[in-house]
Amino acid sequence: MPRQVRGHATASHLYRAQQSPRGRHVVIPEADHMTPVTAPTALADEIVRML
């Protein structure tokens, strides 16, 4: 994904998270679009935090 497009996508995700009272935008630097494969522990940690 081109850098500019990634910046717009990230801004959009942050905006959406801010619209929810319990929203949270989490950046996992080592993850890509296959987060369950590339960063499973970070993903699991966030799921547990939500519970």
Side-chain angles (χ1 to χ4, degrees):
M1 179 180 298
R3 182 171 286 169
Q4 183 179 14
V5 174
R6 168 57 67 196
H8 289 300
T10 299
S12 174
H13 298 162
L14 175 60
Y15 174 80
R16 284 287 183 202
Q18 291 171 336
Q19 301 312 299
S20 174
R22 293 177 46 195
R24 181 172 142 97
H25 183 249
V26 178
V27 176
I28 304 172
E30 68 274 12
D32 62 15
H33 70 283
M34 289 296 294
T35 305
V37 175
T38 58
T41 302
L43 179 59
D45 289 346
E46 284 302 315
I47 292 169
V48 169
R49 189 196 64 75
M50 289 171 42
L51 301 175

